[in-house]
PDB file of all heavy atoms in Angstrom:
ATOM      1  N   ASP A   1    -133.360 264.560 -64.299  1.00 85.00           N
ATOM      2  CA  ASP A   1    -133.766 263.221 -64.589  1.00 85.00           C
ATOM      3  C   ASP A   1    -135.118 263.151 -65.301  1.00 85.00           C
ATOM      4  O   ASP A   1    -135.283 262.358 -66.226  1.00 85.00           O
ATOM      5  CB  ASP A   1    -133.874 262.408 -63.258  1.00 85.00           C
ATOM      6  CG  ASP A   1    -132.528 262.143 -62.628  1.00 85.00           C
ATOM      7  OD1 ASP A   1    -131.511 262.208 -63.388  1.00 85.00           O
ATOM      8  OD2 ASP A   1    -132.416 261.881 -61.417  1.00 85.00           O
ATOM      9  N   THR A   2    -136.014 264.003 -64.917  1.00 86.00           N
ATOM     10  CA  THR A   2    -137.333 264.046 -65.581  1.00 86.00           C
ATOM     11  C   THR A   2    -137.164 264.539 -67.009  1.00 86.00           C
ATOM     12  O   THR A   2    -137.809 264.009 -67.957  1.00 86.00           O
ATOM     13  CB  THR A   2    -138.325 264.982 -64.846  1.00 86.00           C
ATOM     14  OG1 THR A   2    -138.425 264.521 -63.489  1.00 86.00           O
ATOM     15  CG2 THR A   2    -139.690 264.986 -65.499  1.00 86.00           C
ATOM     16  N   PHE A   3    -136.308 265.506 -67.195  1.00 84.00           N
ATOM     17  CA  PHE A   3    -136.049 266.035 -68.549  1.00 84.00           C
ATOM     18  C   PHE A   3    -135.512 264.902 -69.437  1.00 84.00           C
ATOM     19  O   PHE A   3    -135.950 264.759 -70.574  1.00 84.00           O
ATOM     20  CB  PHE A   3    -135.061 267.174 -68.484  1.00 84.00           C
ATOM     21  CG  PHE A   3    -134.551 267.653 -69.810  1.00 84.00           C
ATOM     22  CD1 PHE A   3    -135.387 268.487 -70.647  1.00 84.00           C
ATOM     23  CD2 PHE A   3    -133.331 267.247 -70.291  1.00 84.00           C
ATOM     24  CE1 PHE A   3    -134.893 268.902 -71.866  1.00 84.00           C
ATOM     25  CE2 PHE A   3    -132.852 267.659 -71.554  1.00 84.00           C
ATOM     26  CZ  PHE A   3    -133.701 268.502 -72.316  1.00 84.00           C
ATOM     27  N   LEU A   4    -134.530 264.159 -68.932  1.00 84.00           N
ATOM     28  CA  LEU A   4    -133.902 263.104 -69.729  1.00 84.00           C
ATOM     29  C   LEU A   4    -134.846 261.940 -70.026  1.00 84.00           C
ATOM     30  O   LEU A   4    -134.765 261.284 -71.052  1.00 84.00           O
ATOM     31  CB  LEU A   4    -132.645 262.605 -69.032  1.00 84.00           C
ATOM     32  CG  LEU A   4    -131.493 263.564 -68.861  1.00 84.00           C
ATOM     33  CD1 LEU A   4    -130.353 262.927 -68.092  1.00 84.00           C
ATOM     34  CD2 LEU A   4    -131.041 264.092 -70.209  1.00 84.00           C
ATOM     35  N   SER A   5    -135.780 261.684 -69.119  1.00 84.00           N
ATOM     36  CA  SER A   5    -136.685 260.559 -69.290  1.00 84.00           C
ATOM     37  C   SER A   5    -137.939 260.875 -70.086  1.00 84.00           C
ATOM     38  O   SER A   5    -138.448 260.059 -70.858  1.00 84.00           O
ATOM     39  CB  SER A   5    -137.091 259.950 -67.956  1.00 84.00           C
ATOM     40  OG  SER A   5    -137.753 260.914 -67.173  1.00 84.00           O
ATOM     41  N   THR A   6    -138.474 262.089 -69.911  1.00 83.00           N
ATOM     42  CA  THR A   6    -139.728 262.465 -70.592  1.00 83.00           C
ATOM     43  C   THR A   6    -139.569 263.700 -71.466  1.00 83.00           C
ATOM     44  O   THR A   6    -140.335 263.798 -72.457  1.00 83.00           O
ATOM     45  CB  THR A   6    -140.848 262.736 -69.561  1.00 83.00           C
ATOM     46  OG1 THR A   6    -140.460 263.804 -68.712  1.00 83.00           O
ATOM     47  CG2 THR A   6    -141.100 261.481 -68.724  1.00 83.00           C
ATOM     48  N   GLY A   7    -138.688 264.619 -71.122  1.00 84.00           N
ATOM     49  CA  GLY A   7    -138.516 265.819 -71.931  1.00 84.00           C
ATOM     50  C   GLY A   7    -137.922 265.499 -73.286  1.00 84.00           C
ATOM     51  O   GLY A   7    -138.322 266.066 -74.321  1.00 84.00           O
ATOM     52  N   ILE A   8    -136.953 264.604 -73.319  1.00 85.00           N
ATOM     53  CA  ILE A   8    -136.385 264.129 -74.562  1.00 85.00           C
ATOM     54  C   ILE A   8    -137.195 262.964 -75.086  1.00 85.00           C
ATOM     55  O   ILE A   8    -137.097 261.836 -74.515  1.00 85.00           O
ATOM     56  CB  ILE A   8    -134.902 263.688 -74.386  1.00 85.00           C
ATOM     57  CG1 ILE A   8    -134.069 264.914 -73.949  1.00 85.00           C
ATOM     58  CG2 ILE A   8    -134.341 263.106 -75.682  1.00 85.00           C
ATOM     59  CD1 ILE A   8    -132.577 264.611 -73.762  1.00 85.00           C
ATOM     60  N   VAL A   9    -138.060 263.193 -76.045  1.00 84.00           N
ATOM     61  CA  VAL A   9    -139.002 262.199 -76.522  1.00 84.00           C
ATOM     62  C   VAL A   9    -138.241 261.108 -77.266  1.00 84.00           C
ATOM     63  O   VAL A   9    -138.615 259.929 -77.099  1.00 84.00           O
ATOM     64  CB  VAL A   9    -140.057 262.868 -77.472  1.00 84.00           C
ATOM     65  CG1 VAL A   9    -140.969 261.815 -78.047  1.00 84.00           C
ATOM     66  CG2 VAL A   9    -140.785 263.938 -76.721  1.00 84.00           C
ATOM     67  N   SER A  10    -137.282 261.440 -78.014  1.00 84.00           N
ATOM     68  CA  SER A  10    -136.486 260.429 -78.756  1.00 84.00           C
ATOM     69  C   SER A  10    -135.107 260.971 -79.045  1.00 84.00           C
ATOM     70  O   SER A  10    -134.897 262.169 -79.084  1.00 84.00           O
ATOM     71  CB  SER A  10    -137.167 260.025 -80.081  1.00 84.00           C
ATOM     72  OG  SER A  10    -137.195 261.105 -80.985  1.00 84.00           O
ATOM     73  N   SER A  11    -134.160 260.045 -79.248  1.00 82.00           N
ATOM     74  CA  SER A  11    -132.778 260.461 -79.581  1.00 82.00           C
ATOM     75  C   SER A  11    -132.133 259.359 -80.397  1.00 82.00           C
ATOM     76  O   SER A  11    -132.481 258.180 -80.245  1.00 82.00           O
ATOM     77  CB  SER A  11    -131.970 260.700 -78.331  1.00 82.00           C
ATOM     78  OG  SER A  11    -131.794 259.509 -77.564  1.00 82.00           O
ATOM     79  N   GLN A  12    -131.251 259.745 -81.244  1.00 81.00           N
ATOM     80  CA  GLN A  12    -130.575 258.780 -82.078  1.00 81.00           C
ATOM     81  C   GLN A  12    -129.191 259.365 -82.473  1.00 81.00           C
ATOM     82  O   GLN A  12    -128.991 260.576 -82.460  1.00 81.00           O
ATOM     83  CB  GLN A  12    -131.283 258.349 -83.320  1.00 81.00           C
ATOM     84  CG  GLN A  12    -131.652 259.531 -84.207  1.00 81.00           C
ATOM     85  CD  GLN A  12    -132.482 259.106 -85.435  1.00 81.00           C
ATOM     86  OE1 GLN A  12    -133.327 259.876 -85.893  1.00 81.00           O
ATOM     87  NE2 GLN A  12    -132.248 257.900 -85.939  1.00 81.00           N
ATOM     88  N   LYS A  13    -128.236 258.466 -82.760  1.00 79.00           N
ATOM     89  CA  LYS A  13    -126.878 258.918 -83.102  1.00 79.00           C
ATOM     90  C   LYS A  13    -126.380 258.077 -84.307  1.00 79.00           C
ATOM     91  O   LYS A  13    -126.569 256.916 -84.342  1.00 79.00           O
ATOM     92  CB  LYS A  13    -125.904 258.748 -81.957  1.00 79.00           C
ATOM     93  CG  LYS A  13    -124.482 259.203 -82.304  1.00 79.00           C
ATOM     94  CD  LYS A  13    -123.540 258.983 -81.113  1.00 79.00           C
ATOM     95  CE  LYS A  13    -122.115 259.471 -81.452  1.00 79.00           C
ATOM     96  NZ  LYS A  13    -121.556 258.730 -82.614  1.00 79.00           N
ATOM     97  N   VAL A  14    -125.793 258.773 -85.269  1.00 76.00           N
ATOM     98  CA  VAL A  14    -125.192 258.115 -86.447  1.00 76.00           C
ATOM     99  C   VAL A  14    -123.800 258.647 -86.587  1.00 76.00           C
ATOM    100  O   VAL A  14    -123.611 259.891 -86.642  1.00 76.00           O
ATOM    101  CB  VAL A  14    -126.019 258.383 -87.701  1.00 76.00           C
ATOM    102  CG1 VAL A  14    -125.324 257.706 -88.917  1.00 76.00           C
ATOM    103  CG2 VAL A  14    -127.441 257.875 -87.562  1.00 76.00           C
ATOM    104  N   SER A  15    -122.794 257.753 -86.626  1.00 72.00           N
ATOM    105  CA  SER A  15    -121.398 258.223 -86.778  1.00 72.00           C
ATOM    106  C   SER A  15    -121.202 258.715 -88.194  1.00 72.00           C
ATOM    107  O   SER A  15    -121.938 258.441 -89.117  1.00 72.00           O
ATOM    108  CB  SER A  15    -120.460 257.042 -86.487  1.00 72.00           C
ATOM    109  OG  SER A  15    -120.602 256.055 -87.489  1.00 72.00           O
ATOM    110  N   ALA A  16    -120.132 259.486 -88.365  1.00 68.00           N
ATOM    111  CA  ALA A  16    -119.810 260.087 -89.652  1.00 68.00           C
ATOM    112  C   ALA A  16    -119.552 258.992 -90.697  1.00 68.00           C
ATOM    113  O   ALA A  16    -119.964 259.060 -91.868  1.00 68.00           O
ATOM    114  CB  ALA A  16    -118.579 260.978 -89.530  1.00 68.00           C
ATOM    115  N   SER A  17    -118.847 257.927 -90.317  1.00 70.00           N
ATOM    116  CA  SER A  17    -118.486 256.873 -91.276  1.00 70.00           C
ATOM    117  C   SER A  17    -119.751 256.102 -91.639  1.00 70.00           C
ATOM    118  O   SER A  17    -119.938 255.720 -92.804  1.00 70.00           O
ATOM    119  CB  SER A  17    -117.494 255.863 -90.655  1.00 70.00           C
ATOM    120  OG  SER A  17    -118.000 255.281 -89.450  1.00 70.00           O
ATOM    121  N   MET A  18    -120.654 255.888 -90.688  1.00 72.00           N
ATOM    122  CA  MET A  18    -121.924 255.176 -90.985  1.00 72.00           C
ATOM    123  C   MET A  18    -122.814 256.036 -91.918  1.00 72.00           C
ATOM    124  O   MET A  18    -123.433 255.511 -92.816  1.00 72.00           O
ATOM    125  CB  MET A  18    -122.659 254.830 -89.681  1.00 72.00           C
ATOM    126  CG  MET A  18    -123.951 254.011 -89.900  1.00 72.00           C
ATOM    127  SD  MET A  18    -124.858 253.720 -88.376  1.00 72.00           S
ATOM    128  CE  MET A  18    -123.668 252.691 -87.543  1.00 72.00           C
ATOM    129  N   SER A  19    -122.873 257.316 -91.659  1.00 76.00           N
ATOM    130  CA  SER A  19    -123.700 258.184 -92.470  1.00 76.00           C
ATOM    131  C   SER A  19    -123.204 258.211 -93.919  1.00 76.00           C
ATOM    132  O   SER A  19    -123.994 258.284 -94.859  1.00 76.00           O
ATOM    133  CB  SER A  19    -123.696 259.627 -91.911  1.00 76.00           C
ATOM    134  OG  SER A  19    -122.446 260.243 -92.021  1.00 76.00           O
ATOM    135  N   HIS A  20    -121.878 258.206 -94.074  1.00 79.00           N
ATOM    136  CA  HIS A  20    -121.314 258.178 -95.435  1.00 79.00           C
ATOM    137  C   HIS A  20    -121.702 256.923 -96.142  1.00 79.00           C
ATOM    138  O   HIS A  20    -122.079 256.936 -97.327  1.00 79.00           O
ATOM    139  CB  HIS A  20    -119.795 258.301 -95.362  1.00 79.00           C
ATOM    140  CG  HIS A  20    -119.088 258.192 -96.686  1.00 79.00           C
ATOM    141  ND1 HIS A  20    -119.091 259.252 -97.605  1.00 79.00           N
ATOM    142  CD2 HIS A  20    -118.420 257.151 -97.272  1.00 79.00           C
ATOM    143  CE1 HIS A  20    -118.439 258.837 -98.684  1.00 79.00           C
ATOM    144  NE2 HIS A  20    -118.000 257.581 -98.517  1.00 79.00           N
ATOM    145  N   ASP A  21    -121.689 255.777 -95.430  1.00 84.00           N
ATOM    146  CA  ASP A  21    -122.073 254.518 -96.052  1.00 84.00           C
ATOM    147  C   ASP A  21    -123.566 254.507 -96.386  1.00 84.00           C
ATOM    148  O   ASP A  21    -123.932 254.004 -97.450  1.00 84.00           O
ATOM    149  CB  ASP A  21    -121.739 253.392 -95.074  1.00 84.00           C
ATOM    150  CG  ASP A  21    -121.939 252.001 -95.664  1.00 84.00           C
ATOM    151  OD1 ASP A  21    -121.352 251.760 -96.724  1.00 84.00           O
ATOM    152  OD2 ASP A  21    -122.691 251.197 -95.051  1.00 84.00           O
ATOM    153  N   ILE A  22    -124.374 255.027 -95.490  1.00 82.00           N
ATOM    154  CA  ILE A  22    -125.810 255.079 -95.758  1.00 82.00           C
ATOM    155  C   ILE A  22    -126.116 255.959 -96.999  1.00 82.00           C
ATOM    156  O   ILE A  22    -126.905 255.612 -97.854  1.00 82.00           O
ATOM    157  CB  ILE A  22    -126.596 255.603 -94.518  1.00 82.00           C
ATOM    158  CG1 ILE A  22    -126.482 254.597 -93.366  1.00 82.00           C
ATOM    159  CG2 ILE A  22    -128.067 255.846 -94.842  1.00 82.00           C
ATOM    160  CD1 ILE A  22    -127.037 255.088 -92.057  1.00 82.00           C
ATOM    161  N   ALA A  23    -125.450 257.114 -97.051  1.00 82.00           N
ATOM    162  CA  ALA A  23    -125.670 258.024 -98.166  1.00 82.00           C
ATOM    163  C   ALA A  23    -125.281 257.422 -99.497  1.00 82.00           C
ATOM    164  O   ALA A  23    -125.948 257.521-100.494  1.00 82.00           O
ATOM    165  CB  ALA A  23    -124.939 259.336 -97.937  1.00 82.00           C
ATOM    166  N   ARG A  24    -124.128 256.700 -99.490  1.00 87.00           N
ATOM    167  CA  ARG A  24    -123.661 256.063-100.693  1.00 87.00           C
ATOM    168  C   ARG A  24    -124.635 254.998-101.163  1.00 87.00           C
ATOM    169  O   ARG A  24    -124.968 254.890-102.355  1.00 87.00           O
ATOM    170  CB  ARG A  24    -122.262 255.438-100.422  1.00 87.00           C
ATOM    171  CG  ARG A  24    -121.651 254.727-101.602  1.00 87.00           C
ATOM    172  CD  ARG A  24    -120.277 254.160-101.272  1.00 87.00           C
ATOM    173  NE  ARG A  24    -120.354 253.210-100.174  1.00 87.00           N
ATOM    174  CZ  ARG A  24    -120.669 251.904-100.326  1.00 87.00           C
ATOM    175  NH1 ARG A  24    -120.949 251.438-101.508  1.00 87.00           N
ATOM    176  NH2 ARG A  24    -120.690 251.105 -99.285  1.00 87.00           N
ATOM    177  N   LYS A  25    -125.123 254.156-100.230  1.00 88.00           N
ATOM    178  CA  LYS A  25    -126.073 253.118-100.583  1.00 88.00           C
ATOM    179  C   LYS A  25    -127.402 253.682-101.046  1.00 88.00           C
ATOM    180  O   LYS A  25    -128.057 253.154-101.946  1.00 88.00           O
ATOM    181  CB  LYS A  25    -126.255 252.195 -99.420  1.00 88.00           C
ATOM    182  CG  LYS A  25    -125.068 251.334 -99.086  1.00 88.00           C
ATOM    183  CD  LYS A  25    -125.317 250.393 -97.879  1.00 88.00           C
ATOM    184  CE  LYS A  25    -124.091 249.469 -97.682  1.00 88.00           C
ATOM    185  NZ  LYS A  25    -124.269 248.544 -96.523  1.00 88.00           N
ATOM    186  N   ALA A  26    -127.833 254.777-100.446  1.00 86.00           N
ATOM    187  CA  ALA A  26    -129.066 255.429-100.890  1.00 86.00           C
ATOM    188  C   ALA A  26    -128.953 255.954-102.298  1.00 86.00           C
ATOM    189  O   ALA A  26    -129.862 255.765-103.111  1.00 86.00           O
ATOM    190  CB  ALA A  26    -129.443 256.599 -99.918  1.00 86.00           C
ATOM    191  N   LEU A  27    -127.835 256.563-102.635  1.00 87.00           N
ATOM    192  CA  LEU A  27    -127.602 257.072-104.000  1.00 87.00           C
ATOM    193  C   LEU A  27    -127.578 255.933-104.981  1.00 87.00           C
ATOM    194  O   LEU A  27    -128.145 255.991-106.079  1.00 87.00           O
ATOM    195  CB  LEU A  27    -126.266 257.846-104.041  1.00 87.00           C
ATOM    196  CG  LEU A  27    -125.859 258.480-105.355  1.00 87.00           C
ATOM    197  CD1 LEU A  27    -126.942 259.458-105.827  1.00 87.00           C
ATOM    198  CD2 LEU A  27    -124.517 259.160-105.309  1.00 87.00           C
ATOM    199  N   ILE A  28    -126.850 254.825-104.601  1.00 90.00           N
ATOM    200  CA  ILE A  28    -126.808 253.631-105.518  1.00 90.00           C
ATOM    201  C   ILE A  28    -128.207 253.094-105.747  1.00 90.00           C
ATOM    202  O   ILE A  28    -128.589 252.720-106.823  1.00 90.00           O
ATOM    203  CB  ILE A  28    -125.879 252.564-104.865  1.00 90.00           C
ATOM    204  CG1 ILE A  28    -124.441 253.060-104.916  1.00 90.00           C
ATOM    205  CG2 ILE A  28    -126.030 251.214-105.618  1.00 90.00           C
ATOM    206  CD1 ILE A  28    -123.504 252.141-104.184  1.00 90.00           C
ATOM    207  N   ALA A  29    -129.017 253.072-104.670  1.00 88.00           N
ATOM    208  CA  ALA A  29    -130.402 252.531-104.780  1.00 88.00           C
ATOM    209  C   ALA A  29    -131.200 253.361-105.762  1.00 88.00           C
ATOM    210  O   ALA A  29    -131.948 252.749-106.638  1.00 88.00           O
ATOM    211  CB  ALA A  29    -131.100 252.500-103.397  1.00 88.00           C
ATOM    212  N   VAL A  30    -131.127 254.658-105.690  1.00 87.00           N
ATOM    213  CA  VAL A  30    -131.907 255.535-106.608  1.00 87.00           C
ATOM    214  C   VAL A  30    -131.426 255.365-108.038  1.00 87.00           C
ATOM    215  O   VAL A  30    -132.225 255.212-108.989  1.00 87.00           O
ATOM    216  CB  VAL A  30    -131.815 256.997-106.156  1.00 87.00           C
ATOM    217  CG1 VAL A  30    -132.462 257.919-107.204  1.00 87.00           C
ATOM    218  CG2 VAL A  30    -132.479 257.190-104.824  1.00 87.00           C
ATOM    219  N   ILE A  31    -130.095 255.331-108.226  1.00 89.00           N
ATOM    220  CA  ILE A  31    -129.545 255.224-109.585  1.00 89.00           C
ATOM    221  C   ILE A  31    -129.923 253.872-110.170  1.00 89.00           C
ATOM    222  O   ILE A  31    -130.339 253.782-111.347  1.00 89.00           O
ATOM    223  CB  ILE A  31    -128.004 255.422-109.582  1.00 89.00           C
ATOM    224  CG1 ILE A  31    -127.671 256.856-109.193  1.00 89.00           C
ATOM    225  CG2 ILE A  31    -127.424 255.027-110.900  1.00 89.00           C
ATOM    226  CD1 ILE A  31    -126.165 257.088-109.004  1.00 89.00           C
ATOM    227  N   LEU A  32    -129.786 252.798-109.411  1.00 90.00           N
ATOM    228  CA  LEU A  32    -130.166 251.463-109.896  1.00 90.00           C
ATOM    229  C   LEU A  32    -131.655 251.405-110.251  1.00 90.00           C
ATOM    230  O   LEU A  32    -132.021 250.771-111.250  1.00 90.00           O
ATOM    231  CB  LEU A  32    -129.822 250.417-108.854  1.00 90.00           C
ATOM    232  CG  LEU A  32    -128.359 250.015-108.717  1.00 90.00           C
ATOM    233  CD1 LEU A  32    -128.194 248.983-107.581  1.00 90.00           C
ATOM    234  CD2 LEU A  32    -127.802 249.479-110.018  1.00 90.00           C
ATOM    235  N   ALA A  33    -132.469 252.028-109.426  1.00 87.00           N
ATOM    236  CA  ALA A  33    -133.906 252.049-109.725  1.00 87.00           C
ATOM    237  C   ALA A  33    -134.172 252.727-111.087  1.00 87.00           C
ATOM    238  O   ALA A  33    -134.984 252.223-111.886  1.00 87.00           O
ATOM    239  CB  ALA A  33    -134.685 252.760-108.581  1.00 87.00           C
ATOM    240  N   LEU A  34    -133.564 253.844-111.321  1.00 86.00           N
ATOM    241  CA  LEU A  34    -133.723 254.573-112.577  1.00 86.00           C
ATOM    242  C   LEU A  34    -133.248 253.758-113.763  1.00 86.00           C
ATOM    243  O   LEU A  34    -133.940 253.629-114.799  1.00 86.00           O
ATOM    244  CB  LEU A  34    -132.977 255.907-112.543  1.00 86.00           C
ATOM    245  CG  LEU A  34    -133.465 256.983-111.545  1.00 86.00           C
ATOM    246  CD1 LEU A  34    -132.540 258.135-111.499  1.00 86.00           C
ATOM    247  CD2 LEU A  34    -134.846 257.410-111.935  1.00 86.00           C
ATOM    248  N   VAL A  35    -132.042 253.148-113.613  1.00 87.00           N
ATOM    249  CA  VAL A  35    -131.468 252.332-114.685  1.00 87.00           C
ATOM    250  C   VAL A  35    -132.351 251.116-115.011  1.00 87.00           C
ATOM    251  O   VAL A  35    -132.640 250.810-116.155  1.00 87.00           O
ATOM    252  CB  VAL A  35    -130.010 251.939-114.341  1.00 87.00           C
ATOM    253  CG1 VAL A  35    -129.491 250.923-115.340  1.00 87.00           C
ATOM    254  CG2 VAL A  35    -129.122 253.176-114.309  1.00 87.00           C
ATOM    255  N   PHE A  36    -132.734 250.414-113.953  1.00 87.00           N
ATOM    256  CA  PHE A  36    -133.523 249.179-114.164  1.00 87.00           C
ATOM    257  C   PHE A  36    -134.947 249.540-114.733  1.00 87.00           C
ATOM    258  O   PHE A  36    -135.427 248.689-115.523  1.00 87.00           O
ATOM    259  CB  PHE A  36    -133.659 248.393-112.877  1.00 87.00           C
ATOM    260  CG  PHE A  36    -132.521 247.476-112.616  1.00 87.00           C
ATOM    261  CD1 PHE A  36    -131.457 247.862-111.807  1.00 87.00           C
ATOM    262  CD2 PHE A  36    -132.439 246.229-113.216  1.00 87.00           C
ATOM    263  CE1 PHE A  36    -130.382 247.012-111.577  1.00 87.00           C
ATOM    264  CE2 PHE A  36    -131.351 245.380-112.998  1.00 87.00           C
ATOM    265  CZ  PHE A  36    -130.310 245.766-112.192  1.00 87.00           C
ATOM    266  N   MET A  37    -135.458 250.634-114.367  1.00 85.00           N
ATOM    267  CA  MET A  37    -136.752 251.025-114.944  1.00 85.00           C
ATOM    268  C   MET A  37    -136.584 251.294-116.429  1.00 85.00           C
ATOM    269  O   MET A  37    -137.415 250.905-117.253  1.00 85.00           O
ATOM    270  CB  MET A  37    -137.306 252.276-114.226  1.00 85.00           C
ATOM    271  CG  MET A  37    -137.814 252.017-112.855  1.00 85.00           C
ATOM    272  SD  MET A  37    -139.167 250.823-112.723  1.00 85.00           S
ATOM    273  CE  MET A  37    -138.254 249.361-112.220  1.00 85.00           C
ATOM    274  N   ALA A  38    -135.552 252.005-116.792  1.00 84.00           N
ATOM    275  CA  ALA A  38    -135.283 252.259-118.227  1.00 84.00           C
ATOM    276  C   ALA A  38    -135.029 250.965-118.997  1.00 84.00           C
ATOM    277  O   ALA A  38    -135.499 250.797-120.120  1.00 84.00           O
ATOM    278  CB  ALA A  38    -134.080 253.214-118.382  1.00 84.00           C
ATOM    279  N   ALA A  39    -134.303 250.020-118.333  1.00 87.00           N
ATOM    280  CA  ALA A  39    -134.026 248.742-119.010  1.00 87.00           C
ATOM    281  C   ALA A  39    -135.297 247.957-119.158  1.00 87.00           C
ATOM    282  O   ALA A  39    -135.528 247.290-120.196  1.00 87.00           O
ATOM    283  CB  ALA A  39    -133.037 247.911-118.128  1.00 87.00           C
TER     284      ALA A  39
END
């Protein structure tokens, strides 16, 4: 119990489908930034 409450400082979980969506949006954000800067 002590390990779970204080030993683990932080934890997070991201599903495979959510990570794919985040990665896709991040790539789109970078590409759009490059294109709009050139424009």
Side-chain angles (χ1 to χ4, degrees):
D1 291 337
T2 303
F3 172 79
L4 295 179
S5 60
T6 61
I8 298 180
V9 178
S10 66
S11 64
Q12 58 183 146
K13 179 182 182 298
V14 178
S15 67
S17 59
M18 184 183 294
S19 67
H20 176 75
D21 187 54
I22 294 172
R24 180 179 61 83
K25 290 181 178 178
L27 181 61
I28 291 173
V30 173
I31 293 174
L32 284 178
L34 294 173
V35 171
F36 275 97
M37 288 301 99

